[in-house]
Amino acid sequence: MDRQVPLVQLRGVGKRFDAGPWVLQGLALEVAAGEFVSLIGPSGCGKSTLLRLVAALSRPTEGEILIEGKAPRLGERGTVFLFQEPTLLPWLTVRRNIEIPLRIRGVGRRQRQALVEAMLGTVRLKEAAGKYPRQLSGGMKMRASVARALAQAPRLLLMDEPFGALDEMTRHHLNEELLEMRERAGWTAFFVTHSVAEAVFLSSRILVMAANPGRIHADLRVDLPYPRTADTRETDAYLRQVAEVTHVLRSVEAGGEGGVR
Ligand SMILES: Nc1ncnc2c1ncn2[C@@H]1O[C@H](COP(=O)(O)OP(=O)(O)OP(=O)(O)O)[C@@H](O)[C@H]1O
Ligand SMILES: [Mg+2]
């Protein structure tokens, strides 16, 4: 791979649905391999739409999106989407649900089993591995979806508010696990959240978006060293960054003009 080519590039990207208003307009962005980018902004500013464009689930109305310098194709190996709602297959157990993308990719049985067992441990679902989705709580379903996504060893992981429905303890735990797995696996992430604290904890970079039309209002670096752990949340540097991003987000929500940095 050419190291000079950014993993993801957006050039003048705009999106509208039929004759409707521009949902996204004038998006320009370069994301290097290894970055953890969070998207935060008011409801309806186009965060999910942007993720769907990057995943090639939908096409831009104008401009172009490039992954490693090429137009993305739907279902491209290496890009994994983790949706807002868990999308487990109801007729399969948790274990089978995590396993199925690996089967489709032709991963051998032994390796599949090893991967699935490791992921079950990571998301703390070993006890529930034989259960069906209807027997799980909302949080357990989401954890199973996380396990399924990460077992696929993504290069680019697109996450749309994956932990929004979880209680704070579970969310914190999964945030820490997510970073730990990233240290090991090295994927690049786009992460949509409504939580500033979560965005700062996870990200190397935060894009604050504004609405009508959806656009990037501020592109902020998070200056906290990795690895980050539960203790990071108690540091002054972390709390300062949370306050800073909150301030920028407030100005967007109040209809403030002008980007930052
Ligand atoms: N398939 C579609 N057809 C028409 N309009 C759409 C479609 N998908 C999204 N929109 C519109 O695009 C805008 C942005 O939607 P999007 O779901 O991307 O916002 P969001 O930032 O993810 O919001 P939230 O924080 O509530 O999840 C909204 O006005 C929405 O109604
Ligand atoms: Mg959304």
Side-chain angles (χ1 to χ4, degrees):
M1 191 184 96
D2 184 352
R3 298 247 161 238
Q4 302 305 309
V5 178
L7 183 61
V8 181
Q9 287 176 81
L10 273 67
R11 296 184 181 156
V13 169
K15 178 73 181 177
R16 68 196 296 203
F17 295 95
D18 303 316
W22 287 93
V23 168
L24 293 169
Q25 208 166 39
L27 297 187
L29 180 67
E30 292 197 348
V31 173
E35 288 195 81
F36 196 120
V37 182
S38 280
L39 306 173
I40 197 162
S43 182
C45 71
K47 302 179 294 294
S48 297
T49 302
L50 175 53
L51 242 56
R52 294 175 57 83
L53 289 173
V54 173
L57 288 167
S58 137
R59 295 182 52 79
T61 311
E62 60 178 30
E64 63 176 353
I65 295 180
L66 301 172
I67 311 280
E68 284 180 344
K70 294 182 300 240
R73 283 172 301 134
L74 180 60
E76 189 152 19
R77 203 159 147 170
T79 300
V80 172
F81 204 123
L82 186 54
F83 293 93
Q84 204 157 6
E85 299 293 325
T87 52
L88 302 170
L89 300 173
W91 59 88
L92 294 180
T93 61
V94 168
R95 182 177 272 116
R96 294 278 175 227
N97 261 291
I98 299 172
E99 191 186 4
I100 200 150
L102 301 171
R103 260 177 195 269
I104 292 169
R105 266 180 36 202
V107 177
R109 210 178 105 129
R110 277 183 173 225
Q111 200 191 342
R112 257 180 4 233
Q113 281 173 348
L115 272 168
V116 170
E117 292 313 309
M119 290 315 307
L120 283 167
T122 296
V123 300
R124 305 199 173 165
L125 280 179
K126 271 196 192 291
E127 311 270 285
K131 291 191 170 166
Y132 290 88
R134 65 173 182 279
Q135 299 172 295
L136 306 179
S137 71
M140 290 162 90
K141 281 185 207 161
M142 200 64 232
R143 276 144 60 203
S145 294
V146 169
R148 187 180 51 184
L150 294 178
Q152 295 172 65
R155 177 189 52 168
L156 179 60
L157 183 58
L158 307 171
M159 295 170 276
D160 195 347
E161 295 189 59
F163 309 139
L166 305 184
D167 64 273
E168 195 169 80
M169 288 286 286
T170 309
R171 182 195 282 227
H172 280 184
H173 173 70
L174 280 175
N175 282 175
E176 290 148 25
E177 291 289 352
L178 197 62
L179 287 188
E180 232 178 270
M181 286 184 278
R182 179 171 160 275
E183 288 294 323
R184 292 200 296 267
W187 28 262
T188 304
F190 277 64
F191 188 94
V192 174
T193 179
H194 279 105
S195 162
V196 172
E198 182 175 49
V200 171
F201 181 76
L202 293 173
S203 315
S204 57
R205 183 174 177 189
I206 299 177
L207 303 176
V208 181
M209 292 179 66
N212 305 312
R215 58 202 188 275
I216 297 166
H217 172 85
D219 186 347
L220 310 170
R221 289 266 152 216
V222 179
D223 298 319
L224 296 171
Y226 292 98
R228 299 178 192 166
T229 64
D231 294 337
T232 303
R233 293 196 188 86
E234 286 162 30
T235 63
D236 288 342
Y238 169 78
L239 295 169
R240 226 179 5 256
Q241 300 252 347
V242 170
E244 231 178 273
V245 179
T246 303
H247 182 75
V248 175
L249 189 60
R250 281 222 189 103
S251 78
V252 167
E253 285 170 339
E257 286 302 312
V260 180
R261 267 192 248 179

